[in-house]
Amino acid sequence: MREWLNDAIFYEIYPQSFCDTNADGIGDFQGIIRKLNYIKDLGCNAIWLNPCFDSPFVDAGYDIRDYYKAAPRYGTNEDLRQLFAEAHKRGMHVILDLVPGHTSDECKWFQESAKAEKNEYTDRYVWTNSVWEGFDGVDQIMGSIRGGTERDGACAANFFNAQPALNYGFANPDPAKSWQQPMDAAGPLATREAIKDVMRFWLGLGCDGFRVDMAGSLVKCDPDQEGTIRLWQDFRAFLDEEFPEAVMVSEWGQPDRSLRAGFHMDFLLHFGPSHYLDLFREEHPYFAREGKGDCRTFFDLYLHNRELTKGKGGLICIPSGNHDMIRMARTLDPEEMKLAFAFLLSMPGVPFIYYGDEIGEKYVVGLNSVEGGYERTGSRSPMAWDNTPNAGFSSAPKELLYIAQDASVREINAAAEAGDPDSLLNAVKELIAVRRANPALMDAGDFRLVELEDHSYPLVYEREQEGQKVLVVLNPSGQEAVMQTALPETAKLIYAQGGMKGKSTFARNADGRCIVPAASAAFYEI
Ligand code: NOJ
């Protein structure tokens, strides 16, 4: 287990939209460096940077043209090295986005692979034997590139059509289709090594690890993902040997598989079986004051996964959001979000905060798609820093901004919130400080669900580590709730939010049971 993960709290940065220092309307590395103190002051000590490599940006940079070159619009490799160094100086870590599943169709690897003449890259991608043969019914292949190549064949595409799929082989190749190569064929093995080289390159320059894009889908025709699991075990062995401090977090959403595959952490996500959306985003999210939500299924699955992964060192991460999800502020208001953060920052695992969520930045409604964002575009608009033009994000003319900002940035911005003791930003800061000050709340602390009925409030759980026990009581609903669990006489309130603010403890009903105020959070040391 990498030591530095023990007290890590990540901040996800979408580089396009964080801070622009050269007035071209798009964020850059120097902008991130300029804002490192803000992130540190918030209490985050690690950063996940979305793809920042040379790309035609058909999919916001998840279509890499050159794995070894920083995208010029953000700066140079040297700027990136400086960013790593500046972060390290502040005791922070930076992980990059590794996109191992596909490249851009403008990548040299693909262009070589598309040549009729056999060469080093011929088997680097998944190709059929004839342009007339497609991928209908082949698992994990979303589209294809057909026609326009000298090579006779169709190339599998992983996400959008401009993202040809790299070849890691097929777990169960169809014997009638000779192009479905086994995982240990020369082409798939060479692809692995090529990606390891990319990892070596950036780790050598000072990055601390990777968030891995679509980690669960690299090996094709792999219904139980056992092939993909074996593949990542090999990557993990490579890291353990050459970069023992480096970490990998997977975009997989199935910790029972990803942690076995060797990932140090896995996200619960808006897709997959986790029921993550029930918390903050469904029509009736559990954290909404209307009080109609239900997170029982979420916890059933969460506990099941914890059981399966217990003691194995992997962490399950519950993010506030990410660049692919509709922002939490679309469904929850700032007061509701304070309770959502009370949950996120008191759960096990490593918290991930999506830039802007700490101030309740809005989802921008009605935007046209930018760089393959589609409905995700509204969650990717520039960070609101203050109430100067463009909310302090950029001094470019407004029309040049990478994505338009919401009108609310005049009130909802980091500077305004820093000066308001009741702001969401200050609530998040306080919660991070409380997490850090209490070992029970940290990543590896034990977790026990104490109270949660179907469609009911409050949610009560216990955390424990290093001899400290903390009881977390959350009642996001707008109605008072009665806690069935007895609160020990000696319990000490160490954090209070919403309806509990200013109170020294819970009031009792006639049976002596605790009354949990509407819309409140309370952490007790017990
Ligand atoms: C997941 C990324 O998070 C998303 O933004 C991207 O479009 C797809 N993978 C394809 O790489």
Side-chain angles (χ1 to χ4, degrees):
M1 176 71 176
R2 279 48 176 172
E3 282 292 306
W4 66 270
L5 281 186
N6 287 339
D7 73 341
I9 300 182
F10 273 84
Y11 190 82
E12 177 189 347
I13 296 180
Y14 187 72
Q16 289 88 322
S17 295
F18 200 55
C19 179
D20 171 22
T21 57
N22 64 351
D24 60 356
I26 195 151
D28 43 52
F29 297 134
Q30 288 303 327
I32 300 172
I33 293 172
R34 186 182 288 176
K35 297 296 184 185
L36 282 177
N37 287 343
Y38 166 85
I39 300 167
K40 186 174 160 96
D41 187 49
L42 175 64
C44 293
N45 55 3
I47 290 171
W48 155 27
L49 203 57
N50 285 119
C52 54
F53 313 105
D54 182 43
S55 163
F57 293 99
V58 168
D59 184 15
Y62 282 96
D63 48 324
I64 295 173
R65 184 164 45 206
D66 184 346
Y67 280 104
Y68 290 95
K69 183 179 169 196
R73 68 189 199 178
Y74 304 136
T76 60
N77 286 12
E78 193 40 47
D79 290 315
L80 204 44
R81 186 209 297 271
Q82 194 192 341
L83 168 58
F84 302 146
E86 288 294 328
H88 293 160
K89 252 192 232 166
R90 291 167 174 79
M92 301 165 82
H93 291 86
V94 182
I95 64 170
L96 296 177
D97 217 311
L98 181 73
V99 188
H102 46 266
T103 65
S104 157
D105 56 1
E106 293 183 16
C107 179
K108 179 187 143 232
W109 297 359
F110 178 70
Q111 289 173 351
E112 291 296 312
S113 185
K115 289 185 175 159
E117 198 117 310
K118 259 196 172 285
N119 61 55
E120 185 189 342
Y121 299 94
T122 300
D123 291 329
R124 189 66 63 84
Y125 294 83
V126 179
W127 289 86
T128 60
N129 292 336
S130 145
V131 72
W132 310 118
E133 184 181 359
F135 296 94
D136 279 356
V138 183
D139 277 358
Q140 278 114 7
I141 296 181
M142 281 177 84
S144 69
I145 300 176
R146 283 186 55 242
T149 58
E150 192 184 69
R151 174 174 180 166
D152 185 10
C155 183
N158 252 2
F159 195 69
F160 294 141
N161 280 356
Q163 290 163 304
L166 285 163
N167 183 16
Y168 294 90
F170 286 67
N172 301 293
D174 178 345
K177 294 184 171 147
S178 62
W179 52 269
Q180 296 192 358
Q181 302 176 351
M183 287 177 64
D184 58 359
L189 290 179
T191 307
R192 273 190 213 194
E193 295 311 310
I195 293 297
K196 286 181 193 166
D197 282 344
V198 170
M199 294 167 84
R200 276 189 191 102
F201 179 79
W202 293 108
L203 289 166
L205 217 71
C207 92
D208 300 293
F210 302 95
R211 173 269 188 184
V212 179
D213 189 63
M214 294 176 68
S217 67
L218 298 197
V219 175
K220 308 302 179 196
C221 292
D222 185 23
D224 52 10
Q225 293 175 307
E226 288 301 325
T228 304
I229 290 170
R230 283 203 308 281
L231 176 79
W232 283 112
Q233 285 169 341
D234 176 49
F235 276 98
R236 171 65 186 264
F238 144 71
L239 277 190
D240 284 350
E241 194 175 321
E242 295 186 28
F243 300 94
E245 285 301 305
V247 303
M248 296 192 294
V249 54
S250 47
E251 185 201 28
W252 195 318
Q254 284 181 268
D256 50 328
R257 295 179 178 188
S258 54
L259 301 181
R260 187 152 58 83
F263 283 93
H264 304 91
M265 315 176 259
D266 187 27
F267 290 116
L268 301 187
L269 290 161
H270 52 298
F271 61 83
S274 73
H275 276 251
Y276 163 82
L277 290 177
D278 299 357
L279 297 167
F280 320 121
R281 288 184 176 74
E282 281 304 2
E283 196 186 344
H284 299 297
Y286 188 75
F287 280 86
R289 226 166 7 255
E290 61 162 10
K292 291 191 184 151
D294 186 30
C295 59
R296 186 68 236 189
T297 315
F298 168 84
F299 272 104
D300 286 345
L301 293 162
Y302 181 79
L303 292 171
H304 176 67
N305 272 319
R306 267 187 75 79
E307 212 36 58
L308 289 177
T309 55
K310 210 166 153 183
K312 307 216 171 99
L315 300 166
I316 302 174
C317 303
I318 313 174
S320 71
N322 71 24
H323 60 290
D324 292 332
M325 296 185 208
I326 305 301
R327 276 197 188 270
M328 195 199 274
R330 180 106 170 100
T331 34
L332 302 185
D333 67 26
E335 291 307 307
E336 292 169 321
M337 284 181 72
K338 287 179 188 170
L339 302 183
F341 274 104
F343 165 76
L344 290 169
L345 291 161
S346 61
M347 286 291 287
V350 176
F352 276 73
I353 300 176
Y354 182 50
Y355 83 96
D357 280 353
E358 76 280 14
I359 58 168
E361 177 144 327
K362 290 254 162 69
Y363 174 81
V364 190
V365 181
L367 296 177
N368 289 338
S369 178
V370 176
E371 295 185 348
Y374 299 96
E375 82 286 356
R376 307 175 292 184
T377 307
S379 299
R380 299 175 174 185
S381 72
M383 174 74 182
W385 293 106
D386 53 39
N387 55 14
T388 62
N390 300 322
F393 160 69
S394 165
S395 53
K398 190 175 172 181
E399 309 67 55
L400 265 192
L401 293 199
Y402 168 76
I403 292 175
Q405 290 177 313
D406 192 76
S408 62
V409 295
R410 277 191 291 276
E411 294 84 42
I412 302 177
N413 61 62
E417 293 200 24
D420 170 4
D422 283 334
S423 67
L424 176 60
L425 176 64
N426 280 320
V428 174
K429 246 191 209 181
E430 185 189 356
L431 276 161
I432 293 179
V434 169
R435 181 179 179 93
R436 286 252 159 71
N438 291 283
L441 296 178
M442 302 255 232
D443 312 331
D446 266 354
F447 173 88
R448 192 167 73 82
L449 186 61
V450 175
E451 195 172 315
L452 178 66
E453 299 296 324
D454 289 358
H455 283 96
S456 111
Y457 298 81
L459 160 64
V460 184
Y461 48 86
E462 203 176 274
R463 302 290 322 277
E464 181 173 4
Q465 192 174 212
E466 292 172 17
Q468 190 199 30
K469 256 194 197 178
V470 171
L471 190 75
V472 175
V473 185
L474 300 172
N475 178 19
S477 93
Q479 306 290 321
E480 272 182 6
V482 174
M483 181 164 82
Q484 305 304 325
T485 314
L487 185 69
E489 284 303 321
T490 52
K492 183 172 137 220
L493 189 65
I494 55 168
Y495 174 76
Q497 184 54 259
M500 270 305 280
K501 266 208 151 160
K503 299 201 164 68
S504 57
T505 189
F506 293 139
R508 309 271 174 166
N509 69 7
D511 315 344
R513 279 181 299 180
C514 293
I515 301 175
V516 185
S520 69
F523 300 176
Y524 285 91
E525 189 168 15
I526 55 172

